[in-house]
């Protein structure tokens, strides 16, 4: 159900599989008219996700090495290739009714890029778009990845902004399938990493501007994955 407001939830660090289950539940509610559009802002434990266009050769090391280092490798039903999520990276999952808002999928990606450029500007980082390469770039390297899924007009998955991410994690893959590109972070471009809460605030404010909505912050209870009782997401 689209409207002038979107819920903002900031649950901290969340397992990738749990976050995906939350997105699916929220998207189902938006599709059937019983739920509210939502922006999830969170972090993940180390995980490599393979989008629908991912190629096996874009994993550059033995997967056993990745597992030994403490990261998962999972298939994702989003667009794009392979990427990394982990501590120090702000991941955003907007669950929006694009059809109700009259937004085409391609325009949605551009709005996400616009939002990230706005947020980075708050910290003095000039973000850029590169034609044909979704995401946001800074200093000649990719600082934010975008990979989305739209089903029956409703979005899942989203964006990942490197704040203070350990960039060595990306050495095990060809990020986003781009062999001629490197990755960077806000910490690498600034004298010190900005506080994650401040980055979340900037992204939330930029999201409200780019999408023309008001954000309402607050958690609510949802069924937890794997048959657990209830999980309260948000703060």
């Amino acid at each position: 159900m689209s409207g002038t407001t979107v819920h903002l939830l900031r649950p901290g660090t969340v397992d990738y599989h749990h976050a995906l289950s939350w997105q699916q539940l929220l998207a189902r509610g938006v599709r059937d008219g019983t739920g509210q559009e939502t922006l999830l802002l969170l972090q993940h434990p180390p995980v490599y996700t393979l989008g629908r266009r991912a190629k096996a050769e874009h994993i550059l090391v033995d997967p056993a090495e990745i597992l030994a280092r403490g990261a998962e490798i999972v298939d994702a039903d989003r667009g794009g290739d392979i990427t990394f999520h982990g501590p120090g990276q702000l991941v955003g999952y907007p669950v929006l009714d694009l059809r109700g808002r009259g937004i085409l999928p391609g325009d949605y990606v551009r709005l996400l890029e616009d939002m990230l450029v706005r947020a980075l500007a708050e910290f003095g980082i000039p973000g850029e778009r590169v034609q044909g390469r979704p995401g946001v770039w800074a200093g000649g390297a990719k600082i934010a990845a975008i990979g989305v899924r739209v089903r029956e007009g409703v979005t899942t998955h989203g964006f990942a902004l490197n704040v203070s991410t350990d960039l060595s994690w990306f050495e095990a893959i060809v990020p986003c399938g781009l062999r001629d590109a490197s990755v960077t972070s806000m910490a690498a471009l600034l004298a010190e990493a900005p506080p994650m809460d401040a980055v979340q605030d900037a992204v939330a404010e930029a999201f409200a501007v780019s999408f023309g909505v008001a954000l309402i912050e607050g958690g609510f209870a949802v069924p937890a994955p794997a048959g657990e009782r209830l999980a309260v997401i948000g703060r």
Side-chain angles (χ1 to χ4, degrees), residues 10 25 39 61 91 103 116 122 149 154 181 207 210 219-220:
R10 302 202 261 188
L25 179 72
L39 172 61
V61 302
V91 180
I103 300 173
L116 289 163
E122 293 298 311
R149 184 183 186 194
V154 177
F207 182 91
S210 294
F220 56 88

Side-chain angles (χ1 to χ4, degrees), residues 21-35:
S21 294
W22 290 345
Q23 291 175 71
Q24 292 168 342
L25 179 72
L26 291 165
R28 192 178 310 130
V30 172
R31 280 194 295 269
D32 66 21
T34 64

Side-chain angles (χ1 to χ4, degrees), residues 98-200:
L98 295 191
R99 190 174 296 167
R101 293 185 176 278
I103 300 173
L104 297 174
D107 292 333
Y108 171 60
V109 171
R110 285 186 282 275
L111 284 169
L112 290 178
E113 291 171 338
D114 176 75
M115 177 269 295
L116 289 163
V117 168
R118 287 176 185 272
L120 288 168
E122 293 298 311
F123 300 90
I125 296 175
E128 301 178 305
R129 299 180 181 87
V130 175
Q131 188 171 4
R133 294 187 166 188
V136 175
W137 303 70
K142 196 166 192 176
I143 194 169
I146 293 175
V148 304
R149 184 183 186 194
V150 182
R151 179 185 171 196
E152 298 176 22
V154 177
T155 65
T156 51
H157 300 283
F159 60 89
L161 172 62
N162 295 327
V163 180
S164 58
T165 319
D166 179 355
L167 299 179
S168 69
W169 285 103
F170 290 94
E171 295 172 6
I173 62 172
V174 179
C176 303
L178 302 175
R179 293 188 179 275
D180 60 344
S182 59
V183 294
T184 191
S185 67
M186 297 178 73
L189 296 172
L190 302 171
E192 60 182 356
M196 182 62 75
D197 281 351
V199 179
Q200 288 189 10

Side-chain angles (χ1 to χ4, degrees), residues 27-43:
R28 192 178 310 130
V30 172
R31 280 194 295 269
D32 66 21
T34 64
Q36 173 68 44
E37 292 176 304
T38 302
L39 172 61
L40 284 163
L41 294 180
L42 48 81
Q43 297 182 67

Side-chain angles (χ1 to χ4, degrees), residues 49-65:
T49 67
L50 287 77
R52 287 173 291 179
R53 291 185 293 173
K55 297 179 180 179
E57 60 265 31
H58 291 166
I59 300 177
L60 302 178
V61 302
D62 187 328
E65 293 183 30

